mmCIF file of all heavy atoms in Angstrom:
data_model
loop_
_atom_site.group_PDB
_atom_site.id
_atom_site.type_symbol
_atom_site.label_atom_id
_atom_site.label_comp_id
_atom_site.label_asym_id
_atom_site.label_seq_id
_atom_site.Cartn_x
_atom_site.Cartn_y
_atom_site.Cartn_z
ATOM 1 N N THR A 57 26.239 -135.206 -142.704
ATOM 2 C CA THR A 57 26.240 -134.329 -141.571
ATOM 3 C C THR A 57 26.430 -135.025 -140.310
ATOM 4 O O THR A 57 26.776 -134.355 -139.309
ATOM 5 C CB THR A 57 25.078 -133.524 -141.577
ATOM 6 O OG1 THR A 57 23.971 -134.423 -141.340
ATOM 7 C CG2 THR A 57 24.807 -132.738 -142.881
ATOM 8 N N GLY A 58 26.065 -136.221 -140.134
ATOM 9 C CA GLY A 58 25.971 -137.043 -138.859
ATOM 10 C C GLY A 58 24.766 -136.577 -138.033
ATOM 11 O O GLY A 58 24.705 -137.048 -136.881
ATOM 12 N N LEU A 59 23.795 -135.873 -138.564
ATOM 13 C CA LEU A 59 22.588 -135.517 -137.952
ATOM 14 C C LEU A 59 21.700 -136.668 -137.987
ATOM 15 O O LEU A 59 21.698 -137.502 -138.883
ATOM 16 C CB LEU A 59 21.889 -134.341 -138.508
ATOM 17 C CG LEU A 59 22.692 -132.972 -138.375
ATOM 18 C CD1 LEU A 59 22.080 -131.835 -139.226
ATOM 19 C CD2 LEU A 59 22.780 -132.649 -136.966
ATOM 20 N N PRO A 60 20.695 -136.774 -136.929
ATOM 21 C CA PRO A 60 19.830 -137.868 -137.004
ATOM 22 C C PRO A 60 18.942 -137.943 -138.262
ATOM 23 O O PRO A 60 18.368 -136.836 -138.672
ATOM 24 C CB PRO A 60 19.035 -137.680 -135.735
ATOM 25 C CG PRO A 60 19.857 -136.883 -134.811
ATOM 26 C CD PRO A 60 20.653 -135.912 -135.760
ATOM 27 N N TYR A 61 18.648 -139.059 -138.915
ATOM 28 C CA TYR A 61 17.739 -139.095 -139.959
ATOM 29 C C TYR A 61 16.466 -138.559 -139.723
ATOM 30 O O TYR A 61 15.773 -137.846 -140.514
ATOM 31 C CB TYR A 61 17.569 -140.605 -140.310
ATOM 32 C CG TYR A 61 16.768 -140.923 -141.562
ATOM 33 C CD1 TYR A 61 17.260 -140.918 -142.822
ATOM 34 C CD2 TYR A 61 15.268 -141.022 -141.309
ATOM 35 C CE1 TYR A 61 16.410 -141.171 -144.017
ATOM 36 C CE2 TYR A 61 14.524 -141.065 -142.422
ATOM 37 C CZ TYR A 61 15.124 -141.137 -143.639
ATOM 38 O OH TYR A 61 14.320 -141.453 -144.790
ATOM 39 N N ALA A 62 15.904 -138.827 -138.479
ATOM 40 C CA ALA A 62 14.522 -138.372 -138.009
ATOM 41 C C ALA A 62 14.478 -136.683 -138.081
ATOM 42 O O ALA A 62 13.497 -136.288 -138.564
ATOM 43 C CB ALA A 62 14.165 -138.808 -136.651
ATOM 44 N N GLU A 63 15.512 -136.145 -137.653
ATOM 45 C CA GLU A 63 15.433 -134.653 -137.785
ATOM 46 C C GLU A 63 15.443 -134.060 -139.165
ATOM 47 O O GLU A 63 14.822 -133.188 -139.533
ATOM 48 C CB GLU A 63 16.676 -134.089 -136.822
ATOM 49 C CG GLU A 63 16.590 -134.229 -135.447
ATOM 50 C CD GLU A 63 15.227 -133.537 -134.915
ATOM 51 O OE1 GLU A 63 15.092 -132.317 -135.194
ATOM 52 O OE2 GLU A 63 14.421 -134.162 -134.325
ATOM 53 N N LEU A 64 16.380 -134.752 -140.003
ATOM 54 C CA LEU A 64 16.381 -134.353 -141.430
ATOM 55 C C LEU A 64 15.122 -134.721 -142.155
ATOM 56 O O LEU A 64 14.636 -133.937 -142.949
ATOM 57 C CB LEU A 64 17.624 -135.032 -142.094
ATOM 58 C CG LEU A 64 18.877 -134.417 -141.627
ATOM 59 C CD1 LEU A 64 20.085 -135.429 -141.885
ATOM 60 C CD2 LEU A 64 19.300 -133.063 -142.108
ATOM 61 N N ASP A 65 14.494 -135.729 -141.804
ATOM 62 C CA ASP A 65 13.150 -136.067 -142.388
ATOM 63 C C ASP A 65 12.171 -135.258 -141.908
ATOM 64 O O ASP A 65 11.267 -134.824 -142.732
ATOM 65 C CB ASP A 65 12.817 -137.582 -142.099
ATOM 66 C CG ASP A 65 11.617 -138.094 -142.831
ATOM 67 O OD1 ASP A 65 11.692 -137.862 -144.184
ATOM 68 O OD2 ASP A 65 10.663 -138.489 -142.200
ATOM 69 N N HIS A 66 12.245 -134.692 -140.711
ATOM 70 C CA HIS A 66 11.288 -133.681 -140.171
ATOM 71 C C HIS A 66 11.342 -132.387 -141.033
ATOM 72 O O HIS A 66 10.453 -131.782 -141.509
ATOM 73 C CB HIS A 66 11.553 -133.474 -138.697
ATOM 74 C CG HIS A 66 10.590 -132.511 -138.148
ATOM 75 N ND1 HIS A 66 11.070 -131.118 -138.044
ATOM 76 C CD2 HIS A 66 9.372 -132.331 -137.706
ATOM 77 C CE1 HIS A 66 10.150 -130.203 -137.514
ATOM 78 N NE2 HIS A 66 8.995 -131.206 -137.405
ATOM 79 N N LEU A 67 12.705 -131.993 -141.212
ATOM 80 C CA LEU A 67 12.905 -130.885 -142.069
ATOM 81 C C LEU A 67 12.363 -130.961 -143.386
ATOM 82 O O LEU A 67 11.695 -130.062 -143.986
ATOM 83 C CB LEU A 67 14.491 -130.661 -142.205
ATOM 84 C CG LEU A 67 15.031 -129.712 -143.157
ATOM 85 C CD1 LEU A 67 14.465 -128.296 -143.021
ATOM 86 C CD2 LEU A 67 16.591 -129.743 -143.216
ATOM 87 N N ARG A 68 12.552 -132.101 -144.114
ATOM 88 C CA ARG A 68 11.916 -132.438 -145.407
ATOM 89 C C ARG A 68 10.420 -132.238 -145.284
ATOM 90 O O ARG A 68 9.883 -131.714 -146.252
ATOM 91 C CB ARG A 68 12.364 -133.844 -145.885
ATOM 92 C CG ARG A 68 11.896 -134.165 -147.285
ATOM 93 C CD ARG A 68 12.103 -135.629 -147.539
ATOM 94 N NE ARG A 68 11.353 -136.530 -146.596
ATOM 95 C CZ ARG A 68 10.030 -136.757 -146.706
ATOM 96 N NH1 ARG A 68 9.307 -136.245 -147.647
ATOM 97 N NH2 ARG A 68 9.494 -137.560 -145.809
ATOM 98 N N ARG A 69 9.798 -132.910 -144.360
ATOM 99 C CA ARG A 69 8.245 -132.961 -144.325
ATOM 100 C C ARG A 69 7.828 -131.401 -144.015
ATOM 101 O O ARG A 69 6.863 -131.064 -144.730
ATOM 102 C CB ARG A 69 7.889 -133.913 -143.211
ATOM 103 C CG ARG A 69 8.031 -135.366 -143.645
ATOM 104 C CD ARG A 69 7.550 -136.297 -142.584
ATOM 105 N NE ARG A 69 8.207 -136.259 -141.295
ATOM 106 C CZ ARG A 69 7.706 -135.976 -140.090
ATOM 107 N NH1 ARG A 69 6.399 -135.606 -140.110
ATOM 108 N NH2 ARG A 69 8.485 -135.981 -139.185
ATOM 109 N N VAL A 70 8.506 -130.777 -143.192
ATOM 110 C CA VAL A 70 8.030 -129.408 -142.959
ATOM 111 C C VAL A 70 8.250 -128.604 -144.219
ATOM 112 O O VAL A 70 7.420 -127.810 -144.506
ATOM 113 C CB VAL A 70 8.858 -128.727 -141.673
ATOM 114 C CG1 VAL A 70 8.545 -127.273 -141.557
ATOM 115 C CG2 VAL A 70 8.340 -129.405 -140.489
ATOM 116 N N ARG A 71 9.390 -128.685 -144.896
ATOM 117 C CA ARG A 71 9.573 -127.943 -146.114
ATOM 118 C C ARG A 71 8.522 -128.355 -147.081
ATOM 119 O O ARG A 71 7.980 -127.401 -147.832
ATOM 120 C CB ARG A 71 10.981 -128.335 -146.611
ATOM 121 C CG ARG A 71 11.319 -127.611 -147.898
ATOM 122 C CD ARG A 71 10.901 -128.411 -149.140
ATOM 123 N NE ARG A 71 11.077 -127.692 -150.305
ATOM 124 C CZ ARG A 71 10.362 -127.999 -151.379
ATOM 125 N NH1 ARG A 71 9.340 -128.796 -151.451
ATOM 126 N NH2 ARG A 71 10.489 -127.352 -152.585
ATOM 127 N N ASN A 72 8.202 -129.528 -147.241
ATOM 128 C CA ASN A 72 7.212 -129.936 -148.226
ATOM 129 C C ASN A 72 5.767 -129.401 -147.942
ATOM 130 O O ASN A 72 5.003 -128.846 -148.844
ATOM 131 C CB ASN A 72 7.174 -131.402 -148.370
ATOM 132 C CG ASN A 72 8.299 -132.034 -149.149
ATOM 133 O OD1 ASN A 72 9.066 -131.356 -149.669
ATOM 134 N ND2 ASN A 72 8.493 -133.225 -148.963
#
Side-chain angles (χ1 to χ4, degrees):
T57 65
L59 293 171
Y61 180 94
E63 286 302 305
L64 291 161
D65 190 53
H66 176 265
L67 165 59
R68 180 193 61 80
R69 289 183 293 116
V70 171
R71 179 269 174 204
N72 288 348

